[in-house]
Amino acid sequence: MKKGQNRENLVDQCIVARGGGIGMARIKRLIDLPKVQLNRSDPTPLNRQIERQLRELILSGDLRAQMRLPSTRQLADGLGCSRGTVVGAIEQLIAEGFLISSSRSGTFVVGPLRAAVDRRGDKQAARPVKPVRLSHLGEFLAEARRPTYRPGTAFSTGSPDVADFPFGRWSRLCRSVWRQPPLDAVYNQDPAGYLPLRRAIAAYLHDTRGTRFEPSNVFITSGSQQGLDLVARLLLNEGDLVWMEEPGFIEARYALRSVGAGAVAVPVDSEGLSVTEGRRRAADAKLAIVTPSHQYPMGMIMSYARRMELLDWARQAEAWILEDDYDSESRHSGAPLPALQALDADETVIYMGTFSKALFSSLRIGYLVLPPRLMERFCRARYNLDPFTSLMAQPVLTRFIEDGHFATYIQKIRRKFAARRESVVAAARDYFGDAFEFQGDKAGLYVTAVFSGPLRGRPDDEAARKALAAGVVVAPLSSYYQGPPTAQGLILGFGSIDEKTSRAGMATLSSVIDR
Amino acid sequence: MKKGQNRENLVDQCIVARGGGIGMARIKRLIDLPKVQLNRSDPTPLNRQIERQLRELILSGDLRAQMRLPSTRQLADGLGCSRGTVVGAIEQLIAEGFLISSSRSGTFVVGPLRAAVDRRGDKQAARPVKPVRLSHLGEFLAEARRPTYRPGTAFSTGSPDVADFPFGRWSRLCRSVWRQPPLDAVYNQDPAGYLPLRRAIAAYLHDTRGTRFEPSNVFITSGSQQGLDLVARLLLNEGDLVWMEEPGFIEARYALRSVGAGAVAVPVDSEGLSVTEGRRRAADAKLAIVTPSHQYPMGMIMSYARRMELLDWARQAEAWILEDDYDSESRHSGAPLPALQALDADETVIYMGTFSKALFSSLRIGYLVLPPRLMERFCRARYNLDPFTSLMAQPVLTRFIEDGHFATYIQKIRRKFAARRESVVAAARDYFGDAFEFQGDKAGLYVTAVFSGPLRGRPDDEAARKALAAGVVVAPLSSYYQGPPTAQGLILGFGSIDEKTSRAGMATLSSVIDR
């Protein structure tokens, strides 16, 4: 046979077995086997061409159930290829269940495939599908608000600006690391992540936060939310109670809900979470989630005395404390208090940090510092849910820290964010005077303007809606409360906006908020 | 004041208020304020030096509760620095709750801090901590076996060898992508991941697996286990039943257990999962987890007829099918059957794939192809648990696929793994003859040797233990069964070993398994 020749009539017969099973098929009549054509200019191997065309003929109904194929020798002769080529195709179709072979009576199309062919027809007719219900948890989560961040828009929170991030350096480190990657990065099996990164984090936290722990207690996560989710799943049972700051990071309730744990709102005052109130509301809670370095969203630092009270409670109640140090890298000045972790003599504190706020949010690398008594169990348990965080960025981040680029960058953005905070506060003073009261420490990527003076008691959600309609994004303080809000105000993010945008945004805010 | 001068006597007074509260403190007596020293050759700003030393004095008990500090002017004079510097330090300590300020009576050390000081003492004495209990789920997970892979050891499964992976090219793509990263990679907010990668996956699956769906239905995950975990959490309620292949990927039960769903073992035969048995055991199951392209671990392809039966059941039962195509890239020859997804007219199939087997396991990028009716709800729900998979590798992988490197690499490793499979099977024939029966299609990174002939019925776990003692890793087939195993055998991985290691491993196996 020559390349390209028309083989229309070369494979032209097929025998249908009727009655009885395949094994005892009786030959009834010859029919035409529709065309199989080999195209030798196609790079697809010949056996794949045969296989694909036979499969299509079966699916289309051209080769019907219980048809017997010509012998492989006949097919090979007809197609002008080797018998081995045909055998390869037939074996594949047998493996796939389209054909069945019997040494006594030959190779047959498996039947019935009628339903299947009908189905394909149906599919083209686009049968309407039913609306869907997720699990109870799924429905709860899917109904939740999904905030959209708008980098560059006043006063969107969430994504810090990366204008100064040294992507050139970062990309060179990527190249350098991955050109000949360390084998323990390629073949990682440690649920806690890349050990050199854990060492770098331990050293960094020791220097900046006064913590004391071994690198082996750092547990790399794919960000704070995953960390929180793991803590909830591995430590809480259905019905367990959890202290949450009020107002606070209410998104934590999703993780709690996923295990059926209950969130207990515990008010914060100027010293942070009120342990006295917590004891009154749920003395036997199993976990307290706190932001002692920079309360979210009120911004105060938890006082030393309060820290000790909280640790005392946790020891007595045999509870855990999740210390969420979500933005410790973006403090503008001053060393914050030593972390709770540093004061914990009883292995009750789980410290949680992230690189998303300091570097860029799509990096998705965070960490837990686990008490030694939890470490091995967390590793084993995590391994069976989501084995470990990708090693793609971990060695790159390690080099970024070790080579000093991280510290340099942090210094730079601290100055930048401090200046931006000043701009926002100054613009607010100009436009709002004493109607905005600024609380909290000079840190982070947002300020909380509490309504006071002429705005005291005014609904902040209405203000936020009007602002949004005018193109300014502000989060109402009341949305951070689980219960009735005791204050109204606006969260003003400045992580991604310059001074000009900030002043313009404030002017817009001023024009839409009556007072 | 001059640099380095001893300031021992400069700050020398402090007033203790006794009786009454801070507000109405009566001044009782003067005491010595222990030394605060500024070191101008230290790069730490002066306010930070003052702040840190005062904090230490309070924590150490040298400055006791209710002591009144000298005025900021006195302190500044005494220390030879500006009053602003002192004010900065004092404000920080007030914010941290160490000091309290009253406009009438001055600045005082907050009390009582006695317990705190005791605590620090305790910590040094290393008080013993209690043993820990995790949640019920946590305990279940932490007790589970955590297989360790040993790349390069016969016949370890899990991590394919990366000897041929083009890390040079990969690292250049990293550099190229991250030098000036696309903004939607830096500021990603899409829970489903990086759209160009989703497009590349849709095109690839269309070409290789016959699937038909929009790129918008690809949902990037941090690997198959996370995908499975999400499916379980978002689709299953407590008490729901799930068909699992028997033998099969029993690790799936961890995800099921996490939501209280029940695993129903449904036997596989030569055509794959027995739908008839499934209907008999749990007709109203909510999900079936199947590996139709290459059953894990028996290796057969699910027949076309069986696929249609399964789809029919899912439509009738309003159940979901999770099609786990865990190693479709490592098929050695032949196009596998079109995916179940391609035959699904009712939006019941969730297709799950991963890049871990084809590229390297620490990459942690997988995907789900979701029915359109699930897509938006999964996005919203996931956002509140673990917002999205890191964008660090996604644009790099996109380029790797788009530029054709992925296809080239897959071709290369297919040939390699086909040859390795041949080596293992040939060595097994030489050493074990008909005592090993090889089942399954020519695909994947392992073969399953079922005990037959003289080994039939022999306990495979004992064989595996003996092998391990002799340095050869084999997984017993019986460990893939939830119920009593109906076959014994060994799973022989060849993803990371060359022919020589394979033959040597087989010789060792032969020497420790009596027959």
Side-chain angles (χ1 to χ4, degrees), chain A residues 59 98 119 127 130 135 142-143 149 171 175 185 189 229 233-234 312 318 337 346 362 377 380, chain B residues 98 119 127 130 135 142-143 149 171 175 185 189 229 233-234 304 312 318 337 346 362 377 380:
Chain A
L59 286 172
F98 283 100
R119 176 69 44 81
R127 178 159 66 203
K130 301 201 178 183
S135 64
E143 288 308 314
Y149 300 121
S171 67
R175 167 102 169 99
Q189 295 176 40
D229 192 39
R233 295 176 87 181
L234 302 187
D312 282 342
E318 297 188 14
L337 265 183
D346 304 290
S362 69
R377 314 224 79 192
R380 294 172 69 107
Chain B
F98 284 100
R119 176 69 45 81
R127 177 158 68 203
K130 299 201 176 179
S135 65
E143 288 307 315
Y149 300 121
S171 67
R175 166 102 169 99
Q189 296 177 40
D229 192 38
R233 295 176 86 181
L234 303 187
Y304 190 84
D312 283 341
E318 298 189 13
L337 263 183
D346 304 288
S362 69
R377 314 223 79 191
R380 293 172 71 106

Side-chain angles (χ1 to χ4, degrees), chain B residues 132-150:
Chain B
V132 69
R133 271 203 69 76
L134 305 186
S135 65
H136 304 318
L137 173 65
E139 287 293 321
F140 177 77
L141 293 172
E143 288 307 315
R145 117 196 129 104
R146 178 178 141 199
T148 45
Y149 300 121
R150 301 196 194 169

Side-chain angles (χ1 to χ4, degrees), chain B residues 42-157:
Chain B
D42 183 337
T44 308
L46 296 183
N47 61 333
R48 300 280 285 279
Q49 292 189 33
I50 297 171
E51 173 196 318
R52 187 187 295 159
Q53 290 179 52
L54 283 177
R55 190 191 291 114
E56 271 306 312
L57 292 172
I58 297 170
L59 285 173
S60 68
D62 287 334
L63 278 185
R64 291 206 309 279
Q66 304 190 16
M67 273 187 181
R68 189 175 83 183
L69 293 192
S71 73
T72 51
R73 182 166 308 280
Q74 284 175 301
L75 283 166
D77 287 350
L79 288 163
C81 62
S82 76
R83 186 159 162 261
T85 300
V86 172
V87 168
I90 299 290
E91 282 186 348
Q92 173 67 24
L93 292 167
I94 290 172
E96 292 178 0
F98 284 100
L99 299 176
I100 193 165
S101 170
S102 149
S103 52
R104 277 190 304 143
S105 41
T107 302
F108 296 84
V109 175
V110 166
L113 288 178
R114 199 65 243 164
V117 177
D118 291 349
R119 176 69 45 81
R120 283 164 64 91
D122 279 357
K123 187 162 187 178
Q124 276 132 29
R127 177 158 68 203
V129 294
K130 299 201 176 179
V132 69
R133 271 203 69 76
L134 305 186
S135 65
H136 304 318
L137 173 65
E139 287 293 321
F140 177 77
L141 293 172
E143 288 307 315
R145 117 196 129 104
R146 178 178 141 199
T148 45
Y149 300 121
R150 301 196 194 169
T153 301
F155 294 95
S156 183
T157 53

Side-chain angles (χ1 to χ4, degrees), chain A residues 275-288:
Chain A
V275 177
T276 307
E277 258 321 295
R279 284 184 189 266
R280 208 175 60 73
R281 297 182 185 201
D284 61 345
K286 281 284 170 286
L287 172 71

